[in-house]
Amino acid sequence: MPSRRSLLAGGTAAAFTAPLALPGTAGAHGRGHHHRRVTPGADVAAADGWSLLRGRRVGVISNPTGVLRDTTHIVDSLAARDELDIVGVFGPEHGFRGSAQAGESEPQFEDPRTGLTVYDAYGADAAKMRELFTTAGADTVVFDIQDVGVRFYTYIWTMYHAMVAARDLGARFVVLDRPNPIGRWADGPLMTEEYTSGVGLKPIIQQHGMTVGELARYFDGELLPAEGDGGRVDLEVVRVRGWEPYSTAAGSALPWVPPSPNMPTPDTAAVYAGTGYFEGTNLSEGRGTTRPFEFVGAPYLDYRFSDRLNARDLPGVRFREGYFVPTFSKHRGDTCGGVQVFVTDPERFRPIPTAVAMLVEARRHPDFAWRADSWDPERPYWIDKLSGSPRLRHMIDEGAAPEEVTDAWRGEVRDFERARRRYLLYR
């Protein structure tokens, strides 16, 4: 009988050729409307026997999305190889297993499958990351997490702190790249220094349109030299093969592993860059339903919300009048009226302008309110942290039209697109 270790070792991309079916938005294939064979960086490295990690003491930052195309987790694949020295695993928000809800993590534990220590790295700044890497004895840090292309999704800031820590320790930093599920399009306001937080640590725009590998290159070239004592990290990005940058998740034909408990499908990722704004309001963003960020509503809304939104004839989207009862989070146990957001044309749909129009319509109701952040009385509105400044909130409160709000950041988007150009890996 083959050993468990030998079975694990066999779970690599080299042994698997047929693409898995992908659930999600029908027709959301991006340019060309066809599936291409997309090979994530993890599968590229695994097919080469993980040779880039031989002779190194390796720590891995990952979560359930760090899988090979055959759904074997990379930590299992790495730990199964006698010639590799895996010294620890580091879990971000939601944890290595992905069992924790928003703003939570999993405490340190020993992984029963591999025997590796899994450290809690959520909320860890560069100093704490240095401590964790030193405790584990890592001289190489591997990052493999599926991002969703939005500034307020926290995994990219875990990566940033880890890059600073690796630089300070003289460690190597390896990113196993994955496609951006919402593609290359860039949009949204720039983060301002005064409103930085764990949901927006540095001045990038809201929908950055980059893979995590490209972002790592941007961080290394633009931001790390100004961080701490300066300097850059020993960075290597293992590129995705076969990815068209303007395609969406459904166009990759890769298995969709939820990056977090409230990101269950590619449909969720398609709208999240915009409807994530509703975390900063007293409307439910659909947490506690089977369609988070696609359902948006509140007990005080009804059919008029969907009617007004559909009357705007926004590109690539329709709004179904919907009612739901969240099982947790805002309005738990209460019937909420509102909408289900349907992306009808992924190439025309723009999540942030769509969400701004939704906010403008919701703001018309007298019971609408911006969510207060009780932990930060000097910056009391959560929407300001999500959008990067008070500008969006102020403009909507003052009655600005959606087009006026989105026009306010066009120059910021153009400047960011120019700055990111030299760091892009996929054309």
Side-chain angles (χ1 to χ4, degrees):
M1 178 180 293
S3 69
R4 179 176 173 279
R5 178 174 287 270
S6 67
L7 288 171
L8 280 175
T12 65
F16 191 85
T17 57
L20 298 181
L22 178 74
T25 307
H29 301 163
R31 293 183 179 180
H33 295 280
H34 66 282
H35 291 303
R36 292 188 62 187
R37 173 72 180 191
V38 176
T39 304
D43 291 270
V44 173
D48 191 40
W50 299 106
S51 62
L52 80 167
L53 302 178
R54 290 174 190 163
R56 314 291 297 193
R57 299 188 303 278
V58 180
V60 182
I61 301 171
S62 194
N63 70 356
T65 65
V67 296
L68 303 175
R69 184 177 273 274
D70 69 355
T71 73
T72 299
H73 200 280
I74 66 159
V75 169
D76 297 338
S77 178
L78 292 167
R81 304 189 75 97
D82 290 327
E83 72 274 19
L84 299 181
D85 185 10
I86 312 304
V87 298
V89 180
F90 307 92
E93 183 180 10
H94 309 292
F96 173 60
R97 290 173 166 168
S99 64
Q101 275 295 339
E104 299 176 359
S105 60
E106 296 166 346
Q108 182 174 318
F109 67 96
E110 181 179 295
D111 177 40
R113 179 181 289 273
T114 62
L116 295 169
T117 299
V118 179
Y119 298 90
D120 180 7
Y122 176 49
D125 60 10
K128 180 62 176 178
M129 284 288 192
R130 287 195 299 269
E131 178 184 325
L132 293 176
F133 296 160
T134 300
T135 298
D139 65 17
T140 297
V141 178
V142 173
F143 184 92
D144 186 17
I145 293 178
Q146 177 64 67
D147 184 43
V148 297
V150 184
R151 184 183 61 224
F152 44 70
Y153 210 54
T154 63
Y155 300 140
I156 60 173
W157 306 119
T158 294
M159 181 175 74
Y160 182 81
H161 285 308
M163 290 176 67
V164 175
R167 179 202 65 186
D168 293 349
L169 292 171
R172 187 179 177 202
F173 199 87
V174 177
V175 178
L176 304 178
D177 210 6
R178 292 183 178 272
N180 182 329
I182 59 175
R184 178 65 81 208
W185 183 265
D187 198 7
L190 187 73
M191 173 55 62
T192 61
E193 184 176 356
E194 184 180 355
Y195 285 86
T196 56
S197 71
V199 293
L201 189 65
K202 294 292 176 180
I204 64 173
I205 62 170
Q206 185 173 318
Q207 183 179 342
H208 50 73
M210 304 170 78
T211 68
V212 287
E214 292 172 328
L215 264 178
R217 285 163 51 84
Y218 182 90
F219 290 164
D220 186 46
E222 299 292 321
L223 303 179
L224 261 67
E227 187 78 43
D229 293 332
R232 300 174 65 173
V233 70
D234 180 7
L235 174 66
E236 179 172 356
V237 177
V238 182
R239 302 186 187 194
V240 181
R241 293 178 180 170
W243 182 57
E244 294 179 339
Y246 285 93
S247 64
T248 58
S252 70
L254 292 169
W256 179 262
V257 179
S260 58
N262 289 289
M263 195 65 62
T265 72
D267 297 347
T268 323
V271 299
Y272 173 72
T275 56
Y277 273 156
F278 285 91
E279 292 185 342
T281 74
N282 67 347
L283 278 74
S284 167
E285 65 277 6
R287 291 185 187 275
T289 76
T290 58
R291 287 288 180 175
F293 299 103
E294 297 170 64
F295 275 129
V296 174
Y300 56 79
L301 292 178
D302 58 22
Y303 66 91
R304 285 168 286 194
F305 190 43
S306 59
D307 286 355
R308 288 170 177 163
L309 288 171
N310 283 324
R312 289 181 174 273
D313 196 25
L314 299 171
V317 65
R318 288 288 293 176
F319 302 91
R320 181 184 69 84
E321 176 189 353
Y323 297 87
F324 56 95
V325 180
T327 59
F328 63 88
S329 194
K330 286 182 281 184
H331 305 303
R332 174 183 177 183
D334 295 331
T335 300
C336 295
V339 296
Q340 182 180 0
V341 182
F342 281 95
V343 178
T344 57
D345 185 345
E347 293 189 10
R348 297 179 65 231
F349 174 66
R350 297 292 177 259
I352 298 175
T354 298
V356 170
M358 294 171 70
L359 285 169
V360 167
E361 287 295 345
R363 180 66 181 81
R364 297 173 60 180
H365 197 284
D367 291 332
F368 174 90
W370 301 108
R371 172 187 163 198
D373 183 358
S374 60
W375 295 98
D376 191 357
E378 294 184 0
R379 301 179 300 173
Y381 294 105
W382 189 244
I383 189 68
D384 299 349
K385 296 183 176 68
L386 295 173
S387 64
S389 77
R391 179 178 58 192
L392 178 142
R393 176 173 56 86
H394 286 167
M395 292 186 74
I396 291 176
D397 282 348
E398 291 166 3
E403 297 77 15
E404 293 178 86
V405 178
T406 57
D407 283 347
W409 55 68
R410 293 302 174 209
E412 296 163 13
V413 173
R414 286 193 297 270
D415 289 346
F416 182 79
E417 287 181 316
R418 282 193 293 267
R420 77 176 185 178
R421 193 172 299 144
R422 61 185 294 197
Y423 303 106
L424 300 181
L425 295 171
Y426 315 97
R427 306 286 180 173

